[in-house]
Amino acid sequence: MNVTRRRILKAAGTAAERLACPFGLTGCSSANPLPRVLAGRAPLPDKFERELPLIPSLTPSTRTSDADLYELTVRQAQVSILPGTKTTIWGYNGTFPGPTIEARSGRKVILTLRNELPVPIVNHLHGGRTPPDSDGYPTDLILPKEGWSATQSRDSFARIATFSRVYIYPNEQRGAPLWYHDHRMDFTGPQMWRGLAGFYILRDDEEERLPLPKGDKEIALMICDRSFDSDGSLMYPSFDPTLRQTPGVLHPYMGGVQEDIILVNGAPWPRLDVANTLYRFRILNASNARQLQLALDPAPPEGPSILQIGSDGGLLAGPVAHRSLPIAPAERFDVVLDFSKYAVGRKILLRNLQSRDATRDVMRFDVVRQEKTDSFVANRLGEYELLDHRASAATRFFDFSYGGMKQGWVINAKPFDPSRMDADPKLGSTEIWRLRTDLHHPLHLHLAHFQVLTHTGRPRPYDAGWKDTIDMVAGETAEILVKFNGYRGRYVFHCHNLEHEDMAMMGNFEVV
């Protein structure tokens, strides 16, 4: 691109004003940029007909004394999602979701990533404490093998590679449910939409000493929403469907793109046969903009519906009981469900209480057999440092809001600029970041994990533990205690509503 982000946004705004609302949508207004549902043209598939796919783990190509070496190729592929059709996706090794990387705390992962797509990619290990050259900074592109004719963004510090790049993940952190996904500047939303996301499960000794459900009783659930055209192809309202030149979405979808079909591990509204015993689920909301609030229907006759044992950054100190669990885009929750409270033959829906249409259903659990278990959830789970706000080295304020069609989504009234540093924390320091939102913004920090100090009052039950993403709905404020340990260098923080992120709601910090 030969133009700046501001000129792109201005041009997009001018073009948007001339566009009629697509797909029959009415009431488009730049003054009220809320998430919008993109109605698909494909018939909605029957619910609970397909078994839940279990995401396979990636096998290391080589193991050394201190590292596991993996290889992934990002390429286009056709997969079966809707009955009777094939859908073209962009996938890690041609799958959606990508294969799970099983890693060990203190043992390096060395990932060679190859790009066989017609556009650049970037890989970000979300939740990883990673050196800056492997973090997936948005301009650190891997160009297509055949070259790239479009001019790159004006970032003199960008690390550009062609066809492949080696990422090094030291894994010097607690066990936790991380994930990896594309993070290309201006195009994260549509490229993740096409399939570029996968789990990265980091394990440690502390977790393995606990009598939690294991083996086939531990299951990762990647929940997202998608819309499909009548031929089974994915629909997304990009200005430039080739993803080569102009970023952004059609004007009505500036607030975020939501879809009309719920996928779990790449399958629409699946079912899972379970025994009447304990199961552990690693749950990720991988949607672009859809908020989840998960609940069991019917709720168990006694006791909590959902027992949370971990968050973004690993195990909690002790379990936290929930009737329902709100999960913003990019958040992960480690939970245990107790199906012993249901009789064999019972069918239990996992619902999203935020929805009122077909997307209210997520999946179904069918209790099909009796089974004994030695697993249980202990009252004491993990041990970790509790940060003290009195030891903070600095206090910073960040306002996340809509800056109009000419600016897009902004932080402290400024759109993203790779050359501007918005904070310069010192390595090893703790800071208080005060956050404020105008609309719903799930906020994510690269590298640094944090603990929630206040959240429009007291922290909420689902704010417990170490976090890298905080869910903030319209008009909320929060204070988070951020620990900047690990590495010096340049990182970003941003809204994880991906349409907001792609339209400039991102900032830089440099650990010095």
Side-chain angles (χ1 to χ4, degrees):
M1 290 178 289
N2 290 317
V3 291
T4 64
R5 291 180 57 84
R6 185 174 297 235
R7 287 176 59 196
I8 289 170
L9 288 163
K10 183 177 180 180
T14 302
E17 291 165 1
R18 297 195 299 266
L19 289 172
C21 296
F23 310 110
L25 186 65
T26 59
C28 307
S29 170
S30 60
N32 187 29
L34 299 174
R36 305 277 183 165
V37 174
L38 175 63
R41 299 188 180 98
L44 298 183
D46 292 337
K47 295 180 178 180
F48 320 127
E49 292 293 319
R50 185 170 168 184
E51 293 183 6
L52 174 75
L54 301 180
I55 306 172
S57 295
L58 187 63
T59 301
S61 57
T62 308
R63 295 183 189 271
T64 69
S65 59
D66 66 345
D68 296 321
L69 282 68
Y70 291 91
E71 297 181 2
L72 280 175
T73 299
V74 177
R75 58 183 175 85
Q76 183 173 286
Q78 286 199 320
V79 299
S80 296
I81 299 177
L82 301 184
T85 65
K86 291 287 188 179
T87 298
T88 299
I89 58 104
W90 291 357
Y92 296 97
N93 285 356
T95 66
F96 170 56
T100 296
I101 295 177
E102 298 261 359
R104 188 81 190 178
S105 178
R107 183 175 172 83
K108 286 187 294 188
V109 161
I110 301 174
L111 172 65
T112 299
L113 186 66
R114 300 181 179 91
N115 180 17
E116 293 186 356
L117 295 179
V119 300
I121 61 173
V122 175
N123 199 61
H124 170 53
L125 178 57
H126 187 119
R129 188 181 298 155
T130 305
D133 56 355
S134 290
D135 182 67
Y137 191 87
T139 58
D140 289 350
L141 305 176
I142 307 174
L143 303 182
K145 183 178 182 179
E146 63 275 13
W148 183 246
S149 58
T151 304
Q152 303 309 315
S153 61
R154 296 176 179 176
D155 179 7
S156 59
F157 298 103
R159 307 172 181 92
I160 306 296
T162 299
F163 182 52
S164 70
R165 166 169 278 140
V166 175
Y167 293 88
I168 298 177
Y169 302 133
N171 296 320
E172 296 292 342
Q173 60 189 97
R174 306 174 72 219
L178 313 182
W179 62 303
Y180 62 97
H181 62 79
D182 186 75
H183 210 280
R184 177 190 168 198
M185 175 96 160
D186 300 333
F187 294 92
T188 298
Q191 295 195 178
M192 269 189 57
W193 178 280
R194 297 189 187 197
L196 295 180
F199 272 103
Y200 185 106
I201 303 298
L202 185 57
R203 302 188 182 277
D204 63 14
D205 293 340
E206 181 180 49
E207 170 199 345
E208 291 187 350
R209 283 194 292 265
L210 295 172
L212 295 169
K214 295 178 175 65
D216 63 354
K217 303 298 187 297
E218 180 189 347
I219 299 172
L221 301 178
M222 181 184 290
I223 303 173
C224 60
D225 51 355
R226 294 292 186 270
S227 295
F228 297 83
D229 212 333
S230 55
D231 62 357
S233 60
L234 290 164
M235 294 172 62
Y236 187 86
S238 292
F239 270 117
D240 176 9
T242 70
L243 308 188
R244 295 184 64 87
Q245 292 286 347
T246 306
V249 292
L250 299 180
H251 170 52
Y253 301 96
M254 282 188 65
V257 183
Q258 296 182 346
E259 305 73 48
D260 58 6
I261 293 178
I262 298 293
L263 304 179
V264 186
N265 293 356
W269 293 299
R271 72 175 194 280
L272 175 66
D273 290 347
V274 297
N276 63 340
T277 187
L278 299 179
Y279 281 73
R280 180 184 185 182
F281 294 99
R282 315 278 195 134
I283 303 176
L284 161 67
N285 183 352
S287 304
N288 280 32
R290 182 177 291 278
Q291 171 84 8
L292 301 174
Q293 186 174 351
L294 300 181
L296 297 180
D297 183 12
E302 59 182 21
S305 296
I306 300 171
L307 200 59
Q308 182 190 351
I309 61 172
S311 60
D312 299 335
L315 290 172
L316 304 181
V320 179
H322 303 282
R323 292 181 179 271
S324 65
L325 189 61
I327 308 180
E331 280 191 300
R332 288 90 63 213
F333 284 86
D334 195 347
V335 306
V336 171
L337 302 184
D338 185 0
F339 295 112
S340 70
K341 299 175 181 178
Y342 299 92
V344 172
R346 197 67 190 264
K347 302 179 188 300
I348 306 108
L349 294 178
L350 183 63
R351 292 194 184 274
N352 176 21
L353 303 184
Q354 290 282 341
S355 296
R356 292 292 179 267
D357 55 15
T359 59
R360 186 173 177 83
D361 293 329
V362 176
M363 63 177 293
R364 192 179 75 190
F365 302 106
D366 293 356
V367 185
V368 298
R369 64 185 182 276
Q370 291 185 339
E371 194 171 305
K372 293 183 178 179
T373 182
D374 295 326
S375 299
F376 64 93
V377 178
N379 291 328
R380 189 170 185 83
L381 296 171
E383 295 185 3
Y384 55 86
E385 177 189 11
L386 291 175
L387 301 180
D388 185 349
H389 70 278
R390 295 170 296 183
S392 63
T395 299
R396 305 182 193 271
F397 174 77
F398 297 102
D399 177 80
F400 295 76
S401 59
Y402 180 58
M405 288 298 298
K406 292 184 179 181
Q407 283 192 303
W409 297 93
V410 293
I411 302 175
N412 289 351
K414 297 176 182 178
F416 180 59
D417 182 347
S419 65
R420 185 190 69 243
M421 283 299 140
D422 300 291
D424 57 350
K426 293 182 179 179
L427 183 66
S429 69
T430 299
E431 296 188 351
I432 295 176
W433 282 23
R434 291 177 175 163
L435 313 172
R436 184 173 66 192
T437 60
D438 62 343
L439 296 172
H440 180 220
H441 301 296
L443 308 177
H444 169 55
L445 278 69
H446 286 217
L447 175 72
H449 294 178
F450 57 82
Q451 294 170 12
V452 179
L453 184 62
T454 65
H455 194 159
T456 314
R458 294 183 178 180
R460 300 169 187 186
Y462 42 85
D463 291 327
W466 282 105
K467 301 280 291 175
D468 59 57
T469 306
I470 181 171
D471 182 17
M472 296 185 65
V473 300
E476 284 195 327
T477 60
E479 291 179 311
I480 59 175
L481 286 164
V482 190
K483 183 76 170 182
F484 294 94
N485 55 1
Y487 306 95
R488 295 180 176 87
R490 181 178 67 157
Y491 297 87
V492 293
F493 61 101
H494 58 84
C495 176
H496 223 286
N497 176 319
L498 297 183
E499 285 68 49
H500 295 184
E501 175 188 338
D502 284 346
M503 300 195 76
M505 189 170 264
M506 185 156 55
N508 285 298
F509 66 91
E510 183 173 11
V511 182
V512 297

